[in-house]
Amino acid sequence: MTATPGRHMTDEISQQPAIFADLLAGRDAIAEVAAKIAERRPRFALLAARGSSDHAALYAKYLLEVLLEMPVGLTSPSTTTLYGAQPDLTDVLLVSVSQSGGSPDLLEVTESGRKRGALTVAVTNTSDSPLNSAAELSVDIRAGREQAVAATKTYSATLLALYLLVDAVRGGTGADAEPIPELAATALADGQKMVDDAVRRYRFAERMVTTGRGYSLATASEAALKLAETSYLSARAYSGADLLHGPVAAVDTDTAVLALCSNGRGGDAMREVLDVVHERGADVCAIGSAASDVPASHRIPVPACAEELAPVLEVLPVQQLALGLALARGFDPDSPRGLKKVTRTR
């Protein structure tokens, strides 16, 4: 236990606007990686990740499919590490996302993929990691050492780095991301009271459903993980579309629903979902730039930005909520039981 529960997570949440500004200042290095990717003209992309990084990879999947119109798949590392599969990856872009760059399975997938013809890119917070050495190219997310077990600044910095990478591949300059540091500071400061109200509202919740569509699905997935690992809350993430295909039957007046709703096509598609959920009596907490436009019991607005960048901002109140709920329930989110900062799997 730390001397003051949650002090590392609190500090690291607050560092994010400055980290975003630093990452934007160093985007020329990301653009150099992007230029090499564009030169190789990959026909397909594969994304390898675990934990929070897996949710960042899901975000990257949407970026690649929508902005580059490139077919994308999420790898199953065990097909390589346990089953020894060796598919032909000629002309494939393999992006391995890992905050530590130390997970043995991602290292093996990257080494194997490079041998089988893939253009390999490591996206990490550890520039001298084994993963960076294994990959042909690397992107440093520049978030600095993270001491809390629950990823906050490394997660959001990974999102922004992935956006800058994909945007540069398509020939962009990252201009839409320039307001992000200031908007992030506003989101953290202006949203705190509403987050505190949400902590009081959901302190005794036993289960929660998190949901979003489009780019925001990654945030819904990350929200469920953060709530589970810091507050030990039973939380399950669903795409808004999938929620209506069956799981909504389990939603009732005893269910808390955290809904990510930002301006854009994904947020528009959530309105029908939340109409149904609201009719079933669920207690809905809407987070995002479109939070005021959907039926909800509680709202935490987030400043508007380009839709593809919304996950960078909307995850900030999610982190604040996870921190607040953990402390209110008597837990230390810096040291979740049974967890370590680096999880080694194969």
Side-chain angles (χ1 to χ4, degrees):
M1 297 285 284
T2 57
T4 303
R7 69 182 178 93
H8 291 315
M9 190 172 178
T10 301
D11 289 345
E12 288 160 3
I13 288 173
S14 70
Q15 292 169 20
Q16 291 172 103
I19 290 168
F20 297 157
D22 178 69
L23 190 53
L24 284 164
R27 62 190 176 207
D28 285 351
I30 297 178
E32 290 176 7
V33 175
K36 293 176 181 177
I37 294 172
E39 183 180 352
R40 294 277 285 271
R41 299 178 63 86
R43 60 182 173 84
F44 189 88
L46 286 173
L47 300 164
R50 293 287 195 192
S52 286
S53 293
D54 200 34
H55 306 149
L58 177 59
Y59 169 66
K61 185 175 187 291
Y62 274 87
L63 291 174
L64 290 162
E65 289 182 343
V66 176
L67 302 186
L68 299 186
E69 297 185 335
M70 180 185 292
V72 183
L74 298 175
T75 65
S76 299
S78 62
T79 61
T80 296
T81 62
L82 300 184
Y83 296 97
Q86 299 288 319
D88 181 2
L89 297 183
T90 304
D91 297 329
V92 171
L93 171 66
L94 173 61
V95 182
S96 300
V97 186
S98 171
Q99 291 145 18
S100 69
S103 185
D105 51 358
L106 298 184
L107 177 60
E108 187 172 339
V109 165
T110 303
E111 291 173 336
S112 176
R114 188 170 181 178
K115 291 175 183 176
R116 289 178 277 138
L119 170 59
T120 51
V121 181
V123 179
T124 79
N125 192 44
T126 312
S127 59
D128 59 351
S129 68
L131 186 63
N132 277 33
S133 299
E136 183 175 342
L137 304 172
S138 62
V139 171
D140 184 359
I141 69 170
R142 303 163 62 109
R145 183 185 176 194
E146 190 170 57
Q147 298 187 71
V149 171
T152 53
K153 64 178 184 176
T154 54
Y155 176 76
S156 59
T158 299
L159 298 186
L160 182 54
L162 287 166
Y163 170 79
L164 292 173
L165 178 66
V166 175
D167 182 59
V169 171
R170 67 170 174 169
T173 63
D176 283 346
E178 290 177 359
I180 290 297
E182 182 178 353
L183 295 178
T186 299
L188 289 170
D190 292 356
Q192 187 63 65
K193 181 183 183 303
M194 288 168 282
V195 169
D196 291 342
D197 290 342
V199 168
R200 288 187 286 271
R201 187 178 191 96
Y202 302 111
R203 177 179 179 180
F204 299 105
E206 294 298 325
R207 60 192 177 99
M208 182 175 285
V209 169
T210 66
T211 184
R213 290 204 67 181
Y215 296 103
S216 295
L217 177 57
T219 314
S221 299
E222 176 65 7
L225 175 60
K226 281 292 163 287
L227 293 168
E229 69 182 354
T230 59
S231 300
Y232 317 135
L233 181 64
S234 178
R236 180 73 182 268
Y238 294 100
S239 157
D242 289 336
L243 186 60
L244 295 185
H245 274 269
V248 72
V251 173
D252 55 26
T253 55
D254 294 325
T255 308
V257 176
L258 193 157
L260 284 306
C261 306
S262 289
N263 292 324
R265 296 183 183 183
D268 290 345
M270 283 297 296
R271 290 187 174 89
E272 177 188 359
V273 177
L274 294 183
D275 283 340
V276 174
V277 169
H278 186 70
E279 288 173 2
R280 296 189 61 82
D283 190 311
V284 177
C285 177
I287 294 178
S289 54
S292 61
D293 300 331
V294 298
S297 308
H298 188 72
R299 296 177 175 86
I300 305 177
V302 173
C305 64
E307 181 182 6
E308 55 266 29
L309 280 159
V312 180
L313 298 179
E314 66 193 12
V315 78
L316 303 179
V318 167
Q319 295 169 350
Q320 290 176 309
L321 179 61
L323 169 65
L325 283 174
L327 295 175
R329 292 158 77 102
F331 307 125
D332 183 0
D334 287 345
S335 302
R337 61 194 183 206
L339 296 180
K340 297 179 180 179
K341 186 61 187 170
V342 178
T343 302
R344 300 185 181 278
T345 53
R346 184 175 185 277

